[in-house]
Amino acid sequence: MSFEGVIGIVQYVRNLVGILAFALSGALLGVRKDFDVFGVVMLAEAVGLGGGVFRDLMIGVRPVAFSDPGRTA
């Protein structure tokens, strides 16, 4: 495996960990505010998407969620 391949895998894993962290923070907020299961899931999804978009804007790239909706990372 080439060095670029390893870098790509590392970036992909870091991307997933970041989205997971944002989603968990949204879910924990929903639990603290006594949301039902649907509310917790929706809040986690919104915060996970928003965190990914915010990250992409901060590093100066077009957000993946808007450039290719079928792509997860």
Side-chain angles (χ1 to χ4, degrees), residues 8-61:
I9 291 171
V10 169
Q11 287 176 339
Y12 180 76
V13 169
R14 287 177 59 195
N15 184 28
L16 291 179
V17 169
I19 292 171
L20 177 67
F22 279 114
L24 280 175
S25 70
L28 290 174
L29 178 66
V31 168
R32 273 186 269 150
K33 298 290 184 178
D34 293 326
F35 286 10
D36 62 348
V37 173
F38 181 75
V40 169
V41 169
M42 293 306 295
L43 185 61
E45 193 172 321
V47 173
L49 176 64
V53 169
F54 181 71
R55 179 206 58 233
D56 287 345
L57 292 174
M58 291 303 292
I59 63 174
V61 298

